[in-house]
Amino acid sequence: MAGQPVKRSFAGATLDNLGARYLGVRSETCSYTTQPVQIPLRDGVELAADFYAPELLDNQASAGLIMVQCCYGRGAGITFLNARLFAARGFQALFVSTRGTDGSGGTFDPHSNEQSDSQDIVAWMRQQPWYPGSFATLGPSYLGYSQWALLHNPPADCIAAVIPVGPHDQAWHTWGTGSFRLDRASWSDLMSRREDERGSFLSRLSNIPGLSFLRPSGRLEKAVAGLPLEASLQKYFGDKAPWIFDYLKHPNVDDAYWESRRHHVSLDRVKIPILLVSGWYDTFTTQTMHQFKHLHNRGVNVSLIVGPWTHVQGSGLHSTPEIMDFLAEHLTKTGKYNYPPVRIFITGSQEWRSMPTWPPATQPKALYLQEDSGIGSKQPVQDAKPASFVFDPLYPTPSIGGNQMASGGRVDDGAYAERSDVLAFTSEPFSEDLEVLGIPSVHLTHASDPPFADLFVRLSEVDAQGVSHNITEVYQALDPSRDTSQPLQLNLQDCAHRFRVGTRVRLIVAGGSFPMYARSLGTAENRVRSEKTAPQRHTVTIAGGVSRLVLPISAAA
């Protein structure tokens, strides 16, 4: 079933042109119409969608078809970047609302139905008179996840994909560190109140570049801070967002519950050209970098762009011209994507760098933790005193910037060095530039009392004025039965940073990052169901250089 095509309005054209000019996209080649359609699925559910058709001359062919699946409505903000810009340049676009959202039938159960539903959408497309015989997929974040779900069983006529800031494994994001990722609560809050007293969900999405509505409300902040966490969230959500309580019940990423929400097999099956876009401060950077490395090692035609961006900034706001060129090449074979396989932004030197792959060749450089809160190339003496701090779950160490969904990014994180529940190891100023490209690692001979504890480790730069800014980080819930006589290795997230002459390395070690992650309670009880807490004393051995930071240094530096 389909409605009548509607021509783009003057206001819509004005918005499209102003937005395109801001993004640096080439000029429009045509106008377009929008037609509402209903897509039947095998179980009788119908999905609501809009079909964007370029208004072309009789002898012109479209530039190709783009398919988008989205759970955030079909309002102006989200469709501008993922449909309208392309329709005004000759592309067809089918923009489909996920099951249970914005007019689509069925029940919204995040990440569980996309694999099956996407195959039905493709089968329906093939029966339409406007279908050109092949298509590409597009969309960031959840829209990117939907692409990985489709590529679990890649359709032969899907010939390219653009996936900015898109995860392929929801278990990895939710419980991959061993602690519950609390942005699942703020995201679930957003999805559970698509219509509320502040206006329609679609109208709030019209300003999606700001994504301010992803920041938790005061009530939700209190709920997330409550103990037990599960009971506190139950009181807040009531019968809304039932999926979040399924998440809480399944902390094991290998549990059968997560099977339909994990698509590592897609990385083994996909053969089409793929463009990946990420930011050093994105929520899903680790997954995007894993995707690139896996596909590149398989010989897949995969390209990667990584900027100094947060999740929202990496969603296409700063890479639309490249996305347009990529789709033009692979849908129309015009050869317009003339970029190297990898383009990354080097923080510190504030420059873009082109590379044939990632990571490039590097050499390890060890910097040893010192007993005077220093860090440097000289190994400490054998009788160097250990460093320690106490993490109190009732007053948890705060999250400051980094890879948070809505309030992350590069920030002044100097407040960490002033806290008694944080160790901050700072080097002397560098006498020459030092370029770090790849995955730094931290080797800590570490113990905690009690043994139920987490570690948050961050690499930062202290500039010549003494201001500290974050570069990369890692979070890990520790195995209480681990052998604490052996160094614990933690791999931080990929980064690309040049320490200039006069700057210093700072390594931050803490026992939590709240409200980014559910805090360790310090007991053997379930961290989301217990209200019992115990402060945890962390001790890091310094003597003999057993605790160190290893930096991958550019071989060309």
Side-chain angles (χ1 to χ4, degrees):
M1 183 175 67
Q4 292 298 312
V6 177
K7 289 181 177 291
R8 178 174 59 165
S9 67
F10 175 78
T14 301
L15 176 63
D16 287 351
N17 277 282
L18 290 175
R21 185 179 302 177
Y22 173 78
L23 296 175
V25 178
R26 57 185 168 86
S27 300
E28 292 187 356
T29 59
C30 61
S31 189
Y32 58 84
T33 61
T34 307
Q35 182 181 25
V37 297
Q38 294 287 320
I39 302 174
L41 305 180
R42 69 189 73 180
D43 62 357
V45 167
E46 290 191 346
L47 302 183
D50 290 325
F51 176 62
Y52 292 79
E55 294 185 311
L56 303 170
L57 299 176
D58 290 342
N59 61 346
Q60 285 184 299
S62 78
L65 173 64
I66 300 166
M67 185 184 90
V68 180
Q69 300 175 73
C70 179
C71 66
Y72 301 120
R74 300 191 305 282
I78 194 75
T79 59
F80 168 70
L81 277 175
N82 298 288
R84 289 162 45 201
L85 274 175
F86 297 92
R89 288 155 183 83
F91 292 89
Q92 299 169 307
L94 181 68
F95 197 98
V96 186
S97 286
T98 303
R99 176 188 291 252
T101 69
D102 195 41
S104 286
T107 300
F108 181 59
D109 185 9
H111 314 110
S112 63
N113 295 299
E114 283 75 14
Q115 182 181 336
S116 174
D117 289 356
S118 61
Q119 296 291 335
D120 289 358
I121 295 169
V122 172
W124 176 86
M125 283 197 311
R126 291 170 179 152
Q127 304 302 314
Q128 305 312 303
W130 43 257
Y131 185 63
S134 62
F135 68 99
T137 58
L138 171 67
S141 196
Y142 196 110
L143 289 65
Y145 168 82
S146 297
Q147 294 181 69
W148 287 120
L150 170 68
L151 296 173
H152 197 104
N153 295 291
D157 43 352
C158 180
I159 60 174
V162 177
I163 309 178
V165 296
H168 61 278
D169 186 339
Q170 290 299 327
W172 185 356
H173 179 66
T174 307
W175 280 105
T177 65
S179 179
F180 184 68
R181 181 91 181 208
L182 287 169
D183 62 18
R184 299 300 81 198
S186 56
W187 184 84
S188 296
D189 187 40
L190 161 71
M191 297 306 298
S192 69
R193 51 183 176 85
R194 291 190 293 270
E195 299 287 343
D196 66 10
E197 68 278 2
R198 288 176 291 175
S200 74
F201 181 66
L202 295 185
S203 68
R204 286 186 284 130
L205 273 172
S206 66
N207 191 35
I208 196 167
L211 215 68
S212 59
F213 53 84
L214 260 184
R215 296 186 179 92
S217 65
R219 286 185 59 240
L220 180 58
E221 287 181 342
K222 291 180 180 179
V224 166
L227 294 175
L229 175 62
E230 184 177 49
S232 184
L233 291 177
Q234 185 70 65
K235 183 178 179 181
Y236 176 83
F237 282 106
D239 59 358
K240 297 180 179 180
W243 58 81
I244 193 172
F245 302 104
D246 290 331
Y247 296 168
L248 292 170
K249 292 174 184 175
H250 297 93
N252 184 347
V253 296
D254 294 321
D255 192 288
Y257 167 80
W258 294 107
E259 185 174 349
S260 65
R261 298 163 173 85
R262 311 186 75 190
H263 300 289
H264 288 270
V265 69
S266 303
L267 306 182
D268 293 322
R269 293 177 177 175
V270 67
K271 298 177 181 179
I272 59 174
I274 291 182
L275 173 60
L276 301 173
V277 182
S278 188
W280 295 128
Y281 311 108
D282 174 36
T283 311
F284 302 111
T285 308
T286 299
Q287 292 202 40
T288 299
M289 305 307 278
H290 173 81
Q291 293 158 12
F292 174 80
K293 294 169 188 176
H294 191 97
L295 295 175
H296 180 80
N297 289 340
R298 284 186 52 227
V300 174
N301 179 4
V302 58
S303 299
L304 174 69
I305 301 171
V306 186
W309 305 321
T310 61
H311 184 66
V312 175
Q313 293 166 338
S315 65
L317 290 176
H318 299 288
S319 52
T320 303
E322 292 94 329
I323 291 172
M324 191 82 67
D325 289 347
F326 181 88
L327 290 172
E329 171 169 345
H330 295 293
L331 283 176
T332 65
K333 310 301 181 185
T334 57
K336 289 186 177 181
Y337 193 77
N338 299 316
Y339 301 96
V342 176
R343 288 199 309 124
I344 63 164
F345 188 86
I346 312 293
T347 57
S349 60
Q350 308 302 103
E351 63 178 288
W352 284 95
R353 185 83 54 83
S354 297
M355 301 180 181
T357 188
W358 177 266
T362 58
Q363 301 169 348
K365 180 179 179 62
L367 298 176
Y368 299 95
L369 276 57
Q370 311 290 329
E371 65 175 331
D372 58 355
S373 297
I375 184 170
S377 299
K378 184 179 179 179
Q379 290 193 26
V381 296
Q382 288 295 336
D383 60 352
K385 296 179 181 179
S388 66
F389 66 93
V390 175
F391 174 80
D392 187 344
L394 295 180
Y395 303 95
T397 313
S399 304
I400 304 175
N403 299 92
Q404 299 184 70
M405 180 72 78
S407 57
R410 179 180 181 270
V411 300
D412 178 350
D413 63 1
Y416 278 134
E418 306 300 322
R419 293 184 62 91
S420 62
D421 59 353
V422 173
L423 297 177
F425 300 91
T426 308
S427 74
E428 294 297 319
F430 288 117
S431 59
E432 60 182 7
D433 286 3
L434 194 71
E435 190 168 86
V436 179
L437 301 174
I439 299 178
S441 62
V442 174
H443 304 252
L444 297 178
T445 298
H446 166 275
S448 63
D449 182 22
F452 310 100
D454 298 353
L455 274 176
F456 171 71
V457 178
R458 170 176 284 182
L459 174 65
S460 295
E461 177 194 81
V462 180
D463 64 23
Q465 290 71 45
V467 180
S468 175
H469 291 98
N470 52 306
I471 299 171
T472 183
E473 60 196 42
V474 65
Y475 193 97
Q476 184 63 53
L478 302 178
D479 180 356
S481 63
R482 68 193 183 281
D483 181 356
T484 57
S485 68
Q486 298 299 313
L488 172 71
Q489 178 173 335
L490 296 175
N491 293 327
L492 283 72
Q493 183 176 277
D494 288 82
C495 67
H497 184 82
R498 178 175 282 269
F499 290 91
R500 293 291 197 182
V501 172
T503 63
R504 294 176 286 166
V505 163
R506 173 169 287 170
L507 186 71
I508 293 165
V509 181
S513 178
F514 181 84
M516 196 170 178
Y517 294 97
R519 62 205 130 157
S520 168
L521 301 182
T523 73
E525 298 186 30
N526 187 304
R527 73 171 62 204
V528 303
R529 294 179 181 168
S530 176
E531 61 182 347
K532 295 180 180 179
T533 66
Q536 303 131 51
R537 175 167 289 277
H538 293 251
T539 302
V540 177
T541 301
I542 304 295
V546 294
S547 295
R548 64 194 183 277
L549 166 69
V550 180
L551 299 174
I553 303 303
S554 172

